[in-house]
Amino acid sequence: MTPTSRWRAQRTADGSFTLISAEHGEACHSFSGAWLQARERYARPCRLRERAASGERTLRLLDIGTGLGLNLAAALAELDGTGAFLDVLSLEIDPEVVRSALELALEDAELARALAPVRVALRDALANGGGAFSLGANGRVRVVFGDARRTLVDAVEPATFDAVFLDPFSQKVAPDLWTEEFLAAVAARMGERSLLSTYSASLRVRRALRSAGLAVGVGPRVGTKSAGTLAGRGFDLPPFDARTARKVARKLLPGPNPDPRAESERPFS
Ligand SMILES: C[S@@+](CC[C@H](N)C(=O)[O-])C[C@H]1O[C@@H](n2cnc3c(N)ncnc32)[C@H](O)[C@@H]1O
């Protein structure tokens, strides 16, 4: 890590590293395991492997917040051996986080293997200010640097995605990527069979996804973290308990976020 880096490395409980932003002190992953979170919060709940096995030959993924590329690597690993092709649009505002990630040690053999093609692509993306790069024989990624609110709109291809990893910083430090407007823009790019996963369990986020026309359900618990949210079309989702379901079904109210959990969703734990 260069001494001037705005990102500080931190080992998490499964041995993999995350990065902490010096700007606001928030980590890119849960301290209970960065690699664990990538696999269990994002790649598995979007059912990539199962969908490949049932005949979906290309899976188009929208990866919001490239960060260390761990979610991307987890998606590739899920599809390993299935023969399905992973076509990714990955959006990141800060090239510095990617640069810092490329300097991190990789001690775990499985993670090193999964991340190898991602690192090659991210190195090329940094050198070229973004662009489309191979992820080995079974994937490619287009990395776009800039604010996802704008870059998502500008990236007209693909028109729709089969999966979305919604992994920005918390509402407290990155409110722009949790607005109704942005969530509706994301939902509008989800196809007829599409799944979104996020760590957020905010009532307001769940309502906004529902108002945008998606079915909404409960995401898995990962490590020490509470359940997140799944949203999508064309899939049955794990249901909320009756009380949460009633709250989610209520109309979205205008004004500031009334959900107290939203402010503390990303503790370093
Ligand atoms: C929680 S980290 C993502 C971790 C990543 N998914 C991974 O697998 O390592 C959030 C990322 O969102 C990026 N980000 C923050 N605001 C953004 C914006 N407006 N547009 C695009 N990316 C943004 C941050 O720079 C950071 O890399």
Side-chain angles (χ1 to χ4, degrees), residues 28 53 56-57 71 100 120 123 127 130 142 157 187 211 261:
C28 280
E56 295 185 47
R57 301 320 293 155
N71 292 355
S100 301
V120 172
R123 205 162 266 127
R142 184 146 63 94
E157 292 288 333
S211 306
R261 288 189 59 183

Side-chain angles (χ1 to χ4, degrees), residues 38-109:
R39 287 172 295 147
E40 295 192 4
R41 170 74 70 212
Y42 294 98
R44 280 193 198 136
C46 285
R47 305 186 201 175
L48 299 174
R49 192 167 188 83
E50 177 187 322
R51 292 163 70 177
S54 68
E56 295 185 47
R57 301 320 293 155
T58 297
L59 287 147
R60 292 158 303 175
L61 167 66
L62 173 60
D63 178 40
I64 300 174
T66 312
L68 290 74
L70 292 185
N71 292 355
L72 201 46
L76 260 187
E78 271 300 284
L79 292 179
D80 197 23
T82 64
F85 192 84
L86 184 69
D87 189 8
V88 191
L89 175 65
S90 190
L91 308 178
E92 173 56 56
I93 200 166
D94 186 1
E96 185 66 27
V97 65
V98 175
R99 190 166 293 118
S100 301
L102 290 172
E103 294 174 18
L104 294 172
L106 288 176
E107 290 152 13
D108 178 84

Side-chain angles (χ1 to χ4, degrees), residues 76 85-86 116-118 120-121 133-141:
L76 260 187
F85 192 84
L86 184 69
V118 174
V120 172
F133 305 97
S134 166
L135 288 172
N138 291 315
R140 73 171 171 184
V141 59

Side-chain angles (χ1 to χ4, degrees), residues 32-231:
S32 51
W35 180 228
L36 175 85
Q37 176 182 309
R39 287 172 295 147
E40 295 192 4
R41 170 74 70 212
Y42 294 98
R44 280 193 198 136
C46 285
R47 305 186 201 175
L48 299 174
R49 192 167 188 83
E50 177 187 322
R51 292 163 70 177
S54 68
E56 295 185 47
R57 301 320 293 155
T58 297
L59 287 147
R60 292 158 303 175
L61 167 66
L62 173 60
D63 178 40
I64 300 174
T66 312
L68 290 74
L70 292 185
N71 292 355
L72 201 46
L76 260 187
E78 271 300 284
L79 292 179
D80 197 23
T82 64
F85 192 84
L86 184 69
D87 189 8
V88 191
L89 175 65
S90 190
L91 308 178
E92 173 56 56
I93 200 166
D94 186 1
E96 185 66 27
V97 65
V98 175
R99 190 166 293 118
S100 301
L102 290 172
E103 294 174 18
L104 294 172
L106 288 176
E107 290 152 13
D108 178 84
E110 181 208 317
L111 174 56
R113 195 168 78 87
L115 206 52
V118 174
R119 283 195 160 191
V120 172
L122 293 182
R123 205 162 266 127
D124 287 343
L126 275 180
N128 292 282
F133 305 97
S134 166
L135 288 172
N138 291 315
R140 73 171 171 184
V141 59
R142 184 146 63 94
V143 180
V144 184
F145 292 117
D147 189 327
R149 288 174 298 167
R150 179 178 48 76
T151 54
L152 177 60
V153 174
D154 290 349
V156 288
E157 292 288 333
T160 58
F161 295 92
D162 306 303
V164 179
F165 296 166
L166 179 62
D167 191 20
F169 283 122
S170 71
Q171 294 191 58
K172 195 171 166 191
V173 303
D176 293 343
L177 298 190
W178 298 105
T179 62
E180 265 179 85
E181 197 182 0
F182 182 69
L183 295 176
V186 170
R189 297 289 287 273
M190 293 174 66
E192 286 311 304
R193 273 177 61 75
S194 187
L195 282 170
L196 171 152
S197 184
T198 182
Y199 66 86
S200 176
S202 153
L203 182 56
R204 189 172 179 81
V205 167
R206 288 172 169 176
R207 282 181 182 159
L209 291 167
R210 187 174 177 276
S211 306
L214 302 175
V216 186
V218 65
R221 289 176 186 278
V222 179
T224 57
K225 305 294 285 186
S226 56
T229 300
L230 291 173

